[in-house]
Amino acid sequence: MATGISEMSFHATTRLYAQHFCTASPFISPLRKNAKVNQRRSLHARSWGISEKTHNFQKINLSQNFQSRKKFTECHCQQASDIANLSHDEANSTWVQDAVNKVSQVLGSTNGKSAIEFENGSAKHGEDPTLVMPEPAKDLQPKKTRGSSLVEDEAWRLLVESMVYYCGSPVGTIAANDPLDSNKLNYDQVFIRDFIPSGIAFLLKGEYEIVRNFILHTLQLQSWEKTMDCHSPGQGLMPASFKVRTVPLDGDENATEEVLDPDFGEAAIGRVAPVDSGLWWIILLRAYGKCSGDLSVQERIDVQTGIKMILKLCLADGFDMFPTLLVTDGSCMIDRRMGIHGHPLEIQALFYSALMCAREMLAPEDGSADLIRALNNRLIALSFHIREYYWVDMKKLNEIYRYKTEEYSYDAVNKFNIYPDQIPPWLVEWMPIKGGFLIGNLQPAHMDFRFFSLGNLWSIVSSLATTQQSHAILDLIETKWSDLVAQMPLKICYPALEGQEWRIITGSDPKNTPWSYHNGGSWPTLLWQLTVACIKMNRPEIAERALEVAEKRLSIDKWPEYYDTKSARFIGKQARLYQTWSIAGYLVAKLLLEKPDLAKTLWSEEDAEILNALNVMVDPTNPRRKRGKVLKKTYIV
């Protein structure tokens, strides 16, 4: 940054200022009177046409046992969103520099207990916008509207009822809101990946406040401390989810405050940190700017810093030789052991999309030059790697079938030493003459030939796949409709793991039995990614057909999380009902098909510079195709 403010100093400034204003200001002190908060919530709920009873899920039972994190993010949402709301020019102001100097003294103190002394008027800031009750979007009233269906009206009502409030303002939607489910587990939390379709639905409807709040609050929860503790999140990591808790204030038994309690994977099943949370956060941030026209959020110093920290975490040097992102099993939407450790397509597609979005939003400055250079290099290498080595169709499959093995040279055809016997029998019969797809994973001597829907669809949306490949993926979906869509869109992967293979790869996971959950289950939320991809390729009729299939059952079945069996005939045996992203996925698909032009805010066009670089790389006359000592820099593809 122009001021030379370090990332750690800035984050410390934001949090220390927030804590000061939260405790010192009489206007924005911690919420000591729940009655006042509940009154504001009730007013907001009534303005949306919802009864106060609907929001009972927000009232936390203090007798409920839960293990507190060492540090909660205290109730300073209003202050943090206002303090850091500065342009790069404004960052040169005296009070910010003074604050950073004071924070540096705190961070450099030997006892670690120094406090920043604030004088009256030392930190001037404008009126806090979140102290004024926001006006809800009038067109989101959960009532019958002209041209809408009863299913659509019900979906909007359920989505509004799933909203979570923090300090009186909406900050997200819970994962599931089944009133008859007594065993909530973590489905009463706000998940970053789950909120994406909810956020997009609100954006498309013109309701921007909840998305803006979500972006800024999750930014506050981002891990920003470098640590060597294997049980602590790495710097730049976004949490998988967070929960709004009401806790008693120290020293006052009758007073309580609201806190944000994030989960970085410490409490998750399997204890796996989420790789995709930060990538989805960047994608939603760009969508917010595109839909609302408000670019001030992405231009803020704290938001710019948050983007850079996510990128640095993903672009960090490691032992891997490939441009793809190396991750552990269960680190994305498929959050249990399913044999996708290594370089799963879903993460690569989201990684590529996040890099494209970040490059578009990063402010040009001296401190960003190296990061943007590394970002561009990775985009080119990643694009070539996925398009060239992950793609399979009948032609490519026949090439793999005739591979020679144990090749040693820079010009080897079988670069990953894939043995032809790895081609599964099901694929030989299943692959259509017209169509193809990007395989699920690629590592030395291993190709995961399963079809993963999210990775393929988002490769279309982000332009990671070529135009020809994008059409071929949609051709495959049409040709294999009975396998991938059947009675409920859309299969998360195909085919399911069965028999001994299922026992070894999943560890005999009782939830991931064949054709259930992540192992070949059908997920209605994938409908919105399918719709964006189809509209982008000017083939909306595919999404319309899938939407008609979904509308027949979703409302009747109470909006399940997923469906079981090969043809998706049954509601998932452990599926939650009134799953929010099933509701939101349907609404996004419905809105986009009604107004296809809105989909342009969600996809990325193919970049001319990347395309030119790829053309040079595949040019047989280009000397850079062969590795030589004269080349100071080459792309590892």
Side-chain angles (χ1 to χ4, degrees), residues 111-132:
N111 57 18
K113 298 181 180 179
S114 301
I116 295 181
E117 297 294 335
F118 292 91
E119 297 179 359
N120 293 332
S122 62
K124 298 179 180 180
H125 60 289
E127 181 182 357
D128 197 319
T130 58
L131 293 179
V132 181

Side-chain angles (χ1 to χ4, degrees), residues 344-589:
L345 176 65
E346 176 180 329
I347 290 297
Q348 313 317 319
L350 292 175
F351 182 34
Y352 184 86
S353 181
L355 291 178
M356 292 285 287
C357 294
R359 187 177 66 169
E360 184 178 323
M361 294 185 294
L362 278 175
E365 56 180 3
D366 295 338
S368 300
D370 291 339
L371 184 60
I372 293 177
R373 190 178 302 111
L375 186 154
N376 285 326
N377 290 339
R378 182 61 71 90
L379 278 171
I380 296 171
L382 180 61
S383 181
F384 179 86
H385 186 87
I386 296 296
R387 294 178 178 188
E388 182 73 12
Y389 302 124
Y390 275 61
W391 181 255
V392 290
D393 52 16
M394 278 300 294
K395 179 182 177 181
K396 183 68 175 181
L397 203 57
N398 200 53
E399 291 178 7
I400 299 173
Y401 182 74
R402 294 172 54 83
Y403 266 169
K404 295 180 180 179
T405 59
E406 315 302 330
E407 292 181 289
Y408 175 79
S409 71
Y410 295 119
D411 298 325
V413 176
N414 187 2
K415 289 181 171 58
F416 303 97
N417 200 35
I418 303 300
Y419 299 101
D421 288 345
Q422 289 186 22
I423 300 177
W426 68 264
L427 184 60
V428 176
E429 303 297 330
W430 194 72
M431 178 66 75
I433 299 298
K434 181 183 178 182
F437 64 95
L438 296 166
I439 63 172
N441 211 332
L442 175 65
Q443 298 183 77
H446 173 70
M447 295 184 78
D448 185 348
F449 287 98
R450 286 176 293 175
F451 174 87
F452 287 87
S453 295
L454 178 54
N456 275 275
L457 293 176
W458 209 256
S459 294
I460 298 175
V461 174
S462 64
S463 292
L464 175 58
T466 66
T467 301
Q468 293 76 13
Q469 290 173 346
S470 298
H471 279 294
I473 293 171
L474 296 182
D475 288 338
L476 178 84
I477 293 175
E478 278 194 309
T479 304
K480 297 299 178 180
W481 189 267
S482 59
D483 291 330
L484 301 178
V485 178
Q487 298 188 32
M488 180 57 63
L490 189 63
K491 276 277 180 286
I492 191 171
C493 71
Y494 184 92
L497 299 171
E498 298 183 281
Q500 189 67 12
E501 186 181 31
W502 167 77
R503 296 185 186 91
I504 295 173
I505 293 180
T506 71
S508 300
D509 187 348
K511 194 170 184 178
N512 267 330
T513 52
W515 308 110
S516 178
Y517 200 49
H518 298 316
N519 189 18
S522 296
W523 292 72
T525 186
L526 294 172
L527 188 62
W528 78 270
Q529 286 103 333
L530 174 66
T531 303
V532 178
C534 291
I535 293 175
K536 182 187 178 186
M537 303 312 299
N538 197 27
R539 299 173 67 173
E541 67 279 358
I542 300 176
E544 290 173 353
R545 182 182 172 192
L547 183 64
E548 290 177 2
V549 172
E551 276 186 321
K552 294 177 181 178
R553 297 185 59 189
L554 276 176
S555 177
I556 296 174
D557 295 341
K558 300 180 181 179
W559 307 92
E561 180 183 12
Y562 61 92
Y563 285 79
D564 282 356
T565 74
K566 190 173 182 178
S567 60
R569 295 185 65 186
F570 296 154
I571 298 173
K573 58 185 176 183
Q574 295 188 43
R576 302 286 165 147
L577 301 181
Y578 298 103
Q579 186 79 12
T580 304
W581 70 349
S582 295
I583 298 167
Y586 162 79
L587 286 173
V588 172

